Amino acid sequence: MILKELEKNGRKNLFNLVDKTSLVNITKYAIYGTHFNIEGTLDFIKISGIKVENVDLLVKDLDGNEQNIKAEFNYSDDGLSFSTFGEINEGIDLENLSENSYYILLKVSYSNSDIKYFSLVNSTEYNNITYYTITKNEFNNKIDIGFEKYNDISYMSLEVKGGEKLPENVYDIALDAGHGGRDKGATSGDYKEAEIVLDYCLKLKTELENMGLKVFLSRDGTEDSKEDTTLTMYDENGRINLLNGSYAKLILSIHINENKYSKSNGGVEVYAPNDCDLGFAKEIANNIVEKANTSFSQNTAYKEEEGVYVKNFRNADIVATESRAKRNGYEPYHVTTSTPYIYVIRETGGISTNAFVDGRNKSFGTNKYYNSNVGIETYQIELGYMAIENDLQNILNNPQGYIDGIIESIKNHYKIGL
Ligand SMILES: [Zn+2]
């Protein structure tokens, strides 16, 4: 279909730009949340005295509009490798593409002012992806991402079609009320984290639905009170597989902290994935502090910015993971210090966040989506500290403040109703 339109529009001339002496092998491509990224390699002959200055993904539509997405790159006598995965929630913004057909080429700029364009070949195990944008005014764009050929030239295409409806199994946003079943989370007297955060999620769901969004809940309080949700989270109907199966663009996992880092200070902590632009996490933390009249947590462990935290495995955690695997007789997972520690963040991002629960640990099930190249952008929000009276009272008596902060962040970030 793209091919016909290209011919009709006389765009084939654009493909005359393509340098046919070399091809880009795409070794990874993935959606994380609302953004799409690519990495790959290019065999090319290094010319003495001439350097590669820039590598970009050229995204061009049939009207000739183009955007360039900057890639990080390395090159040697063997070839060039590039990636736009430096920040997994940046790259090609799928929410911002208007209805059109787009094609992607690699653009290499040299120190002698030469620019060359190379075509893309899929060298991965992955096939086409269909993506639905976030619902606005009851409609969605449907985006088909795939590899096409024009004459002998391979390229990656994005076809954006407007006026679609979400399929039954696809949601805009998922909410994950922490803990549940037998696991009550942090407690203070009769107050239980699991119950409070469920109440928050139900309220958030109503408000998001009033904005026209389709919302998925990982649990709604009807789960068996005896269920060990920690053990069952990788079951067929466990939290992780349910969340992944929602195909949402965003997951917010709502919690209240347990351990106090200080006797007097509480405050908000928003946990973000690794390799991620922290702007959205910061916006959530800022808005909660402002609307709920609370404070940023003063906890310094894993802190990146005021109220924003990135918790990865530390060397000691990796050693512990490896010895657990050895003890229980399974091959250890591939875990590094850039692997997110918080499972709901890691296991819902697929290959973008190095999700790893693939069934080798026999004590629980499998994340069926661990190897997916479509991941959901996930943040864990710790509203405050159960053990700190000011925090607990504010969380119990002023839920609307926290909820307003979260809703405001979602509205601004996804430009809903603006
Ligand atoms: Zn918790």
Side-chain angles (χ1 to χ4, degrees):
M1 185 165 65
I2 273 203
L3 189 98
K4 268 192 206 140
E5 290 175 50
L6 280 172
E7 304 241 50
K8 190 178 72 193
N9 289 291
R11 303 293 176 200
K12 61 185 173 187
N13 290 339
L14 291 165
F15 282 94
N16 292 340
L17 293 172
V18 172
D19 186 299
K20 297 184 185 70
T21 59
S22 192
L23 291 173
V24 176
N25 284 306
I26 298 300
T27 50
K28 178 176 169 183
Y29 65 98
I31 292 174
Y32 184 71
T34 53
H35 285 75
F36 178 60
N37 283 292
I38 299 176
E39 74 178 39
T41 59
L42 175 69
D43 292 326
F44 88 159
I45 318 289
K46 203 170 163 182
I47 306 161
S48 77
I50 299 173
K51 284 199 285 197
V52 172
E53 299 227 301
N54 277 306
V55 176
D56 298 274
L57 294 175
L58 174 74
V59 184
K60 202 152 181 159
D61 72 17
L62 286 176
D63 299 320
N65 302 311
E66 65 175 61
Q67 54 170 311
N68 289 275
I69 308 290
K70 214 171 188 44
E72 291 163 9
F73 66 93
N74 270 305
Y75 76 111
S76 65
D77 290 342
D78 300 332
L80 177 140
S81 62
F82 70 93
S83 171
T84 67
F85 279 94
E87 289 180 331
I88 55 176
N89 59 347
E90 292 289 312
I92 299 174
D93 183 357
L94 297 173
E95 292 291 320
N96 241 334
L97 297 173
S98 45
E99 201 173 344
N100 212 318
S101 298
Y102 299 80
Y103 49 93
I104 306 177
L105 299 172
L106 193 76
K107 177 181 172 184
V108 181
S109 309
Y110 300 87
S111 57
N112 65 349
S113 303
D114 268 8
I115 294 176
K116 284 186 178 177
Y117 299 88
F118 299 94
S119 61
L120 309 184
V121 176
N122 186 6
S123 300
T124 75
E125 62 186 285
Y126 295 101
N127 296 313
N128 296 358
I129 303 175
T130 300
Y131 173 91
Y132 290 88
T133 58
I134 288 173
T135 307
K136 288 176 186 170
N137 304 318
E138 295 175 35
F139 287 104
N140 308 78
N141 285 344
K142 181 185 180 203
I143 305 182
D144 286 306
I145 302 174
F147 289 88
E148 312 245 355
K149 240 179 183 184
Y150 176 77
N151 291 338
D152 275 337
I153 298 167
S154 303
Y155 65 100
M156 197 172 210
S157 70
L158 301 170
E159 285 208 67
V160 184
K161 203 160 163 265
E164 298 275 329
K165 293 270 188 193
L166 287 185
E168 205 176 334
N169 63 330
V170 178
Y171 291 78
D172 293 308
I173 293 179
L175 299 170
D176 175 46
H179 313 278
R182 206 166 81 189
D183 173 12
K184 304 297 176 216
T187 58
S188 176
D190 288 340
Y191 296 113
K192 300 176 184 75
E193 175 189 358
E195 290 172 4
I196 300 171
V197 295
L198 174 61
D199 197 41
Y200 267 74
C201 285
L202 294 171
K203 288 190 167 87
L204 274 166
K205 179 173 188 272
T206 304
E207 295 216 7
L208 292 168
E209 284 174 347
N210 289 340
M211 288 156 59
L213 297 169
K214 191 171 163 190
V215 182
F216 182 84
L217 291 177
S218 63
R219 69 179 180 94
D220 60 5
T222 58
E223 72 275 8
D224 190 331
S225 64
K226 294 200 180 63
E227 185 190 332
D228 185 342
T229 49
T230 313
L231 213 60
T232 61
M233 75 174 129
Y234 302 109
D235 284 2
E236 187 76 17
N237 285 312
R239 162 178 271 127
I240 292 300
N241 284 314
L242 287 178
L243 285 168
N244 277 312
S246 74
Y247 298 102
K249 261 55 73 178
L250 173 71
I251 295 169
L252 295 179
S253 184
I254 312 290
H255 286 252
I256 304 168
N257 258 317
E258 179 156 38
N259 300 328
K260 35 182 176 177
Y261 62 91
S262 112
K263 285 189 175 63
S264 54
N265 295 316
V268 175
E269 296 171 13
V270 177
Y271 286 82
N274 190 46
D275 291 332
C276 170
D277 178 277
L278 298 176
F280 189 26
K282 183 67 186 143
E283 199 175 344
I284 296 169
N286 285 352
N287 283 326
I288 292 176
V289 165
E290 187 188 320
K291 305 266 182 193
N293 195 23
T294 180
S295 57
F296 298 116
S297 170
Q298 299 301 303
N299 178 19
T300 53
Y302 308 102
K303 182 174 163 182
E304 292 287 324
E305 293 181 41
E306 290 296 314
V308 178
Y309 294 76
V310 176
K311 184 173 181 178
N312 292 335
F313 279 84
R314 290 177 168 175
N315 285 318
D317 303 317
I318 296 171
V319 171
T321 307
E322 282 168 358
S323 67
R324 193 178 314 128
K326 204 170 177 189
R327 207 165 51 239
N328 295 321
Y330 62 88
E331 195 64 29
Y333 296 117
H334 177 66
V335 180
T336 71
T337 51
S338 53
T339 306
Y341 186 86
I342 295 175
Y343 65 82
V344 73
I345 291 177
R346 182 187 68 241
E347 296 298 328
T348 55
I351 59 173
S352 294
T353 53
N354 302 314
F356 59 52
V357 179
D358 60 359
R360 57 185 99 171
N361 182 345
K362 301 280 184 270
S363 62
F364 45 71
T366 302
N367 173 8
K368 292 187 290 176
Y369 303 84
Y370 79 93
N371 197 26
S372 171
N373 70 340
V374 180
I376 305 175
E377 188 168 353
T378 301
Y379 298 93
Q380 182 158 314
I381 302 174
E382 302 280 350
L383 299 170
Y385 282 74
M386 281 304 268
I388 293 169
E389 200 54 26
N390 279 348
D391 263 10
L392 180 60
Q393 289 308 323
N394 199 26
I395 290 165
L396 291 172
N397 300 321
N398 180 26
Q400 198 57 45
Y402 293 84
I403 284 166
D404 286 350
I406 293 168
I407 294 287
E408 175 85 0
S409 310
I410 291 172
K411 271 188 183 162
N412 282 337
H413 189 70
Y414 296 112
K415 301 181 177 67
I416 297 167
L418 299 178

